[in-house]
Amino acid sequence: MMNTNFIRTFLLVHQLGSMAQAARKLNVTHGTVAQQIAALEKEIGVTLVARAGKTVHVTEAGLRLLDRLMLIINEIDALPGLANSNEIRGELRIGAGNSVLNSILPDILSLLVRRYPEVNVVVQPGVSPDFYRDIENGNLDAAIAIEHLMPCPKPRNGFCFAKSHLCCLRPKCITGKNRHSCCVQNPSFAMTIIAGAAS
């Protein structure tokens, strides 16, 4: 198993350009640094450093591995923080319609970013009927959807967090004085008005 301390030593040698300086920084002997580099080279199977007098140069193979080795060390260093952290992290997939995207969603996203900086929010534009299906199928985690007059499947954990007054504009050709009955009698019209105004 690869010793991460040897990787740290190699990275320090690269940073300082000298095994002697790396040894002083690590408070070990020059020979210890040389042994650790040799052991790492043997394990990886390539020469990582080339010595020219007191100067040490990282080889082409070593340069190709530098970014990956730094990433490995950074990930290892982050493990204790992750294990002891109560922070919520991960990806949150939210569905939102056009008017929500331009009205309340920016404030919601701003609050989410402030409270949960480790959460990556992915917004999926669309319409409410699709959101119900996408939540049930597991394609979305949440959605800001409107409640339709027509029956449609609803997720078990839905709740109303805002209400808004809508203005129903209708042409003269649509009959019915009662606004609700007008929408129920003309469902495609009702869906268009509602989706366009509040989705």
Side-chain angles (χ1 to χ4, degrees):
M1 185 173 196
M2 192 173 296
N3 189 322
T4 57
N5 287 330
F6 297 174
I7 297 174
R8 291 178 196 278
T9 299
F10 168 65
L11 294 174
L12 190 59
V13 168
H14 165 67
Q15 180 187 345
L16 300 174
S18 163
M19 284 194 182
Q21 286 185 40
R24 281 194 290 279
K25 183 96 172 172
L26 294 170
N27 201 27
V28 297
T29 65
H30 181 278
T32 300
V33 169
Q35 287 175 350
Q36 289 180 357
I37 297 292
L40 186 60
E41 289 175 330
K42 183 177 179 183
E43 186 150 6
I44 294 176
V46 296
T47 302
L48 297 172
V49 295
R51 296 156 191 90
K54 294 183 178 182
T55 309
V56 176
H57 300 286
V58 175
T59 64
E60 288 294 321
L63 288 172
R64 283 194 298 273
L65 293 173
L66 269 176
D67 287 342
R68 182 61 60 92
L69 292 174
M70 282 190 244
L71 182 64
I72 290 169
I73 293 301
N74 289 338
E75 290 292 324
I76 289 170
D77 288 346
L79 287 176
L82 290 173
N84 297 317
S85 172
N86 290 328
E87 282 189 28
I88 296 173
R89 59 185 67 241
E91 184 175 87
L92 175 64
R93 300 161 302 167
I94 298 178
N98 287 335
S99 62
V100 170
L101 288 170
N102 298 316
S103 57
I104 62 173
L105 189 62
D107 292 335
I108 293 170
L109 293 178
S110 177
L111 180 65
L112 275 171
V113 168
R114 282 197 311 273
R115 284 195 185 169
Y116 309 106
E118 296 298 319
V119 173
N120 179 37
V121 180
V122 177
V123 178
Q124 177 182 312
V127 293
S128 296
D130 294 341
F131 297 153
Y132 292 120
R133 184 195 63 237
D134 287 343
I135 288 174
E136 288 297 317
N137 294 339
N139 297 325
L140 285 177
D141 300 308
I144 301 171
I146 60 166
E147 189 169 3
H148 294 286
L149 294 173
M150 308 315 294
C152 61
K154 291 185 182 179
R156 288 180 290 275
N157 297 325
F159 64 95
C160 178
F161 71 93
K163 289 188 178 186
S164 177
H165 294 284
L166 300 176
C167 178
C168 182
L169 302 176
R170 54 190 172 167
K172 291 180 180 179
C173 63
I174 294 183
T175 59
K177 293 181 180 178
N178 180 294
R179 287 174 289 181
H180 183 267
S181 65
C182 171
C183 291
V184 171
Q185 290 169 6
N186 300 280
S188 62
F189 174 71
M191 291 291 282
T192 303
I193 294 297
I194 293 170
S199 69

